[in-house]
Amino acid sequence: MFRTALRNVSAHKARLLMTVLAVMLGVAFVSGTLVFTNTITDAYQNSSAKGFEQVDVAVRPRYQESSGDRVGRTPELPASLLERTARVPGAGDAIGVVGGFTALADKDGKLIGGGFQSRGGNYWGTKDPRYPLREGRAPHGAGEVAIDAETARRAGYAVGDTVRLSVDGPVLTPTVTGVFTTDDGNVAAGGSLALFDTPTAQRLFGKPGTYDEIDVTAAPGTSQTALKAALDKALPADLVETTTGERLADEQAEAISSQMSGMKQGLLVFAGIALFVGTFIIANTFTMLVAQRTRELALLRAVGASRRQVTRSVLVEAFVVGTVAGLTGLVAGVGIGAGMRSLMGALGATVPDGPLVISPGTVATALAVGIVITMLAAWLPGRRAAKIPPVAAMSSVHAKATARSLVLRNTLGALLAVAGVTVVLAATGMDGSTGQGPMGIGAVLLIIGVFVLTPLLSRPLIAAAAPLLRLFGVSGKLARQNALRNPRRTAATASALMIGLTLITGMTVMAGSLQKSIDKMAADAIRADYVVSMANGNELSPDVERKIAATEGVTASSALRNSPSRIGGTTEYLTGVEASAFPRLTALTFDSGAFEVGGTHVVVDADRAEEHGWKTGSVFTVAYEDGAKQRLTVSGIYQGNDLISGVIVDNATLSPHIADPADMSVMVRTADGATGTMKDRLEKALGSNPAIQVQSKQDISDKIASMFTLMLNMLYGLLAMAVIVAVLGVINTLAMSVFERSQEIGMLRAVGLDRRGVKRMVRLESLVISLFGGVLGIGLGVFFGWAAGELLGTRMPTYELVLPWARMAVFLLLAGAVGVLAALWPARRAARLNTLQAIKAA
């Protein structure tokens, strides 16, 4: 039986090719994802590990937990603690570290590093071991800076050049005195690093005479563990905590792995979708192969082969196909992994150098996926073939499914579909966080139910196309009959395309609806013409609001200032605003009371009011950041949203209790509205600062839209793999169907159907099957998009369903194009069949 199975594989190489390709693509996606993420993770981990080579033990401030009315805070490390650390036995050098966000502009004035990776810090002394100088010397004084070599290369800076940068205040123009090398992960990721001398860094980052961290190297003969123990004994445990350099490297590696795991899981989900679609093709292929060999299998049963041996022979064929597909998919996956890494570089993302990582786990996963998926898909056709009695198989009694089996299938499908719809509808009424799980379960049940019901659904939907097919005469009539002849085969072929279009349509509906809801939220909640903020989301200097208020054309402005507080034993963030200007900058909807903010009067959003049991007129005690207490009165309760929420206090009341006031953003209203001239005027008033962005409501909306568009395009690209696999399935089904109907096609040719008519028949059959899958996929996608939107609506009151009719029409045309393209080769093959030889085919 083993030799027979191998001969069958050899005899059906062409028919199994599409199956191999389908499995190979899925395996390639899986192995490519693993190679890519392992390579990137390894490169970042090696780079970060090098960054801790100069640190044996790091001394950091211990966070002081909130308790009672005391707000939690992170203390700073004074210079006296640095001196004390340096005197600990076993300690070598002790370096004080201070740093923060630093926006560095290129020669065109644009921010380098995209904001989040733009950092600044202090260069220790004249020769900092952490940052070996490649050119020049260490910075000294407020007018000098050193920059990393990668940034200097990308921006074209050299020693002696003047650069534009900003921390959180006005633009500075220091001179580059040195260019250094670094293994900093932010720089490796495309960011920038600017270093000042220590006093300048402490002043710029608002930490005069103090440090964020103290890095200690061990004296010769002292281990990291011994040095840590000595430091723990000598330093106050309630103020500081110590960590060895090895542990820091391990923590960084764990953080990188955690960050990459999200990307890996996302890519593997799409690889799983491609494999799931491929499973239909495999099952379809083996079903057709087994059906074409029923007499052969019956003969094997007649000469003594058992049912188990017949099933095993089919599984052996699947094992061979899966092994070939797994090996070729692994090779293709290595290429995909290398290509994705190169693509990141082409898109401007900088990745640390490192080798391509092909782990044993990747190899084992590729082979296991290829073999297991193929064998599972082939098991049911093999088992079905083994159960056919030899006499029935030889006389083709088995050809049609029994009424009982069809009733059982349709009943099961209906139960699954109804259960899926019920669970999804129930999930739409749940909270956004608790409803995700049930909705996912319901979606899976519904998709499986529709797949099981697809043979039943195919008849009315394909029959609906009959009037159109009549326009093509005999070819159209035959195409409809061929599509309906084997509903199970048609269903399996259409389902592969259905799944891909379900996901694509659902995500398109979600993206369009979310975009409109965010636009509506901004329009309903904000009256301001501009919102000014830091490029990386950090805090603004209070000078920004003062400069904006003094700018010609500005009629109202308000800084939004956050500060932690303690209310009723819990930590709450207060939002400080300019009470006189804020009503002209926002359009809050109040459930009760009104916007009366000033002195001890505040307004709160409905969620926090419900959480604390507050009503209009309620009085509560707040403990500010500095420990001072005050009784506040709720003058109004408003509907919060993602843009404005929380306890809103007058800045005049809040600011005296903040040690270092800073603003999250500034809202601005102007006399002439949002115009290009006014935007330029505001930017110039702020010194054309690369760290600060001035955005109109349209700019904010466009930025969000670009994020959605980028994400959607990435998802389209990933789902294209599933569509390609579905195309292979249509080609495979048609090609094998043509082979199966060779005698019939020969008879049609003999009675007068010309080659053009044969081609048209096969193409129309393919078109009908593909459009059938497209209609099902788009219908399910709209339903899932609506359901997910209802779930989001519990958190986003402005959510509104938007059906992208134009895009859905494009998707339906895409399904039709898939059918036409997939039929090119099978139709050509059918037309070229020799009439006499086809008639003689058994």
Side-chain angles (χ1 to χ4, degrees), residues 47-90:
S47 176
S48 65
K50 292 178 182 177
F52 294 111
E53 288 179 354
Q54 302 297 328
V55 181
D56 287 318
V57 177
V59 179
R60 295 171 171 174
R62 185 183 295 277
Y63 177 73
Q64 308 296 305
E65 297 287 347
S66 302
S67 61
D69 293 330
R70 185 171 65 84
V71 177
R73 67 185 185 90
T74 301
E76 295 167 341
L77 305 178
S80 59
L81 188 67
L82 173 65
E83 297 171 359
R84 184 175 174 183
T85 300
R87 294 195 299 268
V88 171

Side-chain angles (χ1 to χ4, degrees), residues 704-758:
I704 295 171
S706 66
M707 292 171 60
F708 277 124
T709 302
L710 177 62
M711 185 179 301
L712 201 58
N713 288 338
M714 289 175 62
L715 294 176
Y716 283 164
L718 293 169
L719 284 172
M721 181 72 72
V723 175
I724 291 171
V725 174
V727 171
L728 291 174
V730 177
I731 296 173
N732 207 23
T733 299
L734 289 174
M736 297 184 74
S737 179
V738 166
F739 176 84
E740 191 178 74
R741 303 202 308 259
S742 296
Q743 188 177 34
E744 175 189 319
I745 292 171
M747 290 295 295
L748 290 171
R749 289 289 312 282
V751 297
L753 188 65
D754 59 10
R755 290 189 174 185
R756 182 177 298 179
V758 171

Side-chain angles (χ1 to χ4, degrees), residues 500-581:
L501 286 179
T502 296
L503 296 169
I504 291 174
T505 304
M507 288 186 298
T508 303
V509 171
M510 284 282 296
S513 302
L514 279 172
Q515 179 58 50
K516 185 169 183 179
S517 67
I518 290 170
D519 290 346
K520 191 173 186 295
M521 183 189 300
D524 292 350
I526 299 177
R527 290 177 180 166
D529 296 312
Y530 296 99
V531 177
V532 180
S533 60
M534 291 289 278
N536 69 331
N538 277 6
E539 297 176 333
L540 288 164
S541 168
D543 290 337
V544 171
E545 199 275 334
R546 288 192 284 269
K547 290 179 179 179
I548 289 174
T551 302
E552 180 185 354
V554 173
T555 59
S557 64
S558 173
L560 273 67
R561 184 169 296 169
N562 283 358
S563 175
S565 70
R566 297 287 287 177
I567 300 175
T570 62
T571 299
E572 288 281 0
Y573 275 83
L574 306 177
T575 300
V577 301
E578 300 300 326
S580 59

Side-chain angles (χ1 to χ4, degrees), residues 308 324 392 414 445 476 573 605 631:
R308 184 174 298 177
V324 173
L445 289 174
Y573 275 83
D605 67 80
R631 289 178 65 79

Side-chain angles (χ1 to χ4, degrees), residues 131-404:
Y131 308 111
L133 286 169
R134 177 178 290 181
E135 302 174 38
R137 60 173 177 80
H140 181 71
E144 296 182 354
V145 68
I147 62 176
D148 68 271
E150 188 61 29
T151 297
R153 181 189 65 79
R154 289 199 302 266
Y157 286 129
V159 172
D161 288 347
T162 299
V163 297
R164 289 172 57 80
L165 57 82
S166 173
V167 176
D168 65 353
V171 175
L172 305 176
T173 55
T175 301
V176 177
T177 62
V179 175
F180 59 88
T181 60
T182 178
D183 293 309
D184 187 286
N186 287 318
V187 174
S192 63
L193 181 60
L195 300 179
F196 312 90
D197 67 2
T198 300
T200 301
Q202 290 174 320
R203 177 178 58 81
L204 289 175
F205 298 119
K207 298 162 185 173
T210 63
Y211 304 98
D212 298 322
E213 182 179 308
I214 298 173
D215 291 341
V216 189
T217 57
T222 304
S223 67
Q224 290 187 358
T225 305
L227 176 59
K228 181 182 184 303
L231 290 170
D232 288 340
K233 185 177 180 180
L235 302 180
D238 58 330
L239 295 180
V240 299
E241 57 185 7
T242 61
T243 310
T244 64
E246 291 178 357
R247 181 57 190 159
L248 288 173
D250 292 341
E251 289 177 355
Q252 186 74 7
E254 291 170 6
I256 292 171
S257 294
S258 176
Q259 292 169 4
M260 294 300 296
S261 66
M263 179 190 293
K264 180 185 292 187
Q265 290 171 4
L267 291 172
L268 287 175
V269 165
F270 289 98
I273 292 169
L275 284 169
F276 185 58
V277 172
T279 303
F280 292 110
I281 300 173
I282 302 165
N284 221 14
T285 302
F286 277 94
T287 299
M288 296 173 74
L289 284 174
V290 169
Q292 292 168 14
R293 288 162 36 210
T294 50
R295 292 190 178 182
E296 173 190 329
L297 295 176
L299 183 60
L300 290 173
R301 290 288 311 281
V303 297
S306 64
R307 289 184 177 183
R308 184 174 298 177
Q309 285 177 312
V310 171
T311 304
R312 193 179 302 154
S313 71
V314 176
L315 292 179
V316 168
E317 293 181 47
F319 176 81
V320 174
V321 171
T323 303
V324 173
L327 289 172
T328 54
L330 175 62
V331 174
V334 172
I336 289 174
M340 291 175 71
R341 177 173 174 170
S342 300
L343 181 62
M344 287 187 68
L347 294 175
T350 306
V351 180
D353 293 331
L356 204 63
V357 178
I358 307 171
S359 67
T362 300
V363 176
T365 300
L367 291 174
V369 167
I371 294 170
V372 171
I373 291 293
T374 307
M375 293 185 70
L376 284 176
W379 175 76
L380 187 59
R383 182 172 177 272
R384 189 183 299 142
K387 292 175 69 175
I388 299 172
V391 175
M394 288 182 178
S395 59
S396 300
V397 175
H398 69 289
K400 294 183 179 180
T402 64
R404 180 182 176 186

